[in-house]
Amino acid sequence: MNTLQISLISLLVVAFVIYRQLRTRPAAGTATLYVAGAMVIVGLVTGGLFDTAHLALSLALFLVEAGAAVALGVWRARTVRVWLDSSGVAWSKATRWTILAWLASAATRAGLYFAGTAIGLTASTSSVLLFLGLTVGIQAYLVARRGRALSSTGARPDTFVG
């Protein structure tokens, strides 16, 4: 895949994920986890994650990007509202804070991209897919886990978590 294709796919996936998060939906859903997993796999197999001319620096930036992706996914997951309805089904919906966290995620990713190019690393669109897959996957996993935990505790219906 070329840079333009990966960029367009990434933008479409993020727009779709944010759109879905803004809708009320079952918290225990796993479809987003499959999409995130596919993004991680494509990011890994397309190659170019590391600049072989600056391997140590490239690896360090990769670890920072992966850590940031996980941390931002955790932060966004904490901003999602999760509750039980009257029948005991867990639901989730993004809040204004989730949108703010998504903007911070985009700014962080852009900052890391530009930092890498500023220090002379060859940029790779594969790292964008990997970053998005990790951050979306972590968020989806944690929201689903909160929904399952709420359902299994036998909390009274309409209980709000986070």
Side-chain angles (χ1 to χ4, degrees):
M1 294 179 122
N2 68 33
T3 303
L4 181 60
Q5 289 172 326
I6 290 176
S7 299
L8 288 175
I9 289 170
S10 299
L11 285 173
L12 288 173
V13 168
V14 168
F16 180 69
V17 166
I18 293 172
Y19 168 78
R20 283 190 43 142
Q21 289 177 4
L22 290 170
R23 308 303 240 179
T24 301
R25 60 194 183 100
T30 58
T32 305
L33 287 173
Y34 293 117
V35 171
M39 290 174 73
V40 168
I41 290 169
V42 170
L44 289 172
V45 256
T46 55
L49 288 176
F50 303 106
D51 183 347
T52 54
H54 307 94
L55 192 55
L57 196 53
S58 182
L59 180 61
L61 183 61
F62 172 79
L63 293 174
V64 169
E65 287 177 348
V70 169
L72 291 163
V74 169
W75 179 32
R76 283 193 320 275
R78 292 183 52 81
T79 67
V80 173
R81 182 174 180 245
V82 179
W83 72 95
L84 288 178
D85 67 8
S86 59
S87 63
V89 175
W91 295 87
S92 68
K93 185 174 182 180
T95 64
R96 285 184 221 136
W97 291 109
T98 312
I99 300 302
L100 179 65
W102 267 111
L103 291 172
S105 296
T108 300
R109 179 63 191 118
L112 290 169
Y113 173 83
F114 290 121
T117 56
I119 58 176
L121 296 176
T122 303
S124 164
T125 52
S126 298
S127 65
V128 173
L129 282 175
L130 188 62
F131 180 91
L132 288 173
L134 281 173
T135 197
V136 166
I138 290 294
Q139 180 184 354
Y141 169 75
L142 292 174
V143 169
R145 190 174 85 175
R146 283 173 53 206
R148 285 190 302 272
L150 190 58
S151 296
S152 68
T153 62
R156 80 174 177 77
D158 299 315
T159 299
F160 167 69
V161 175

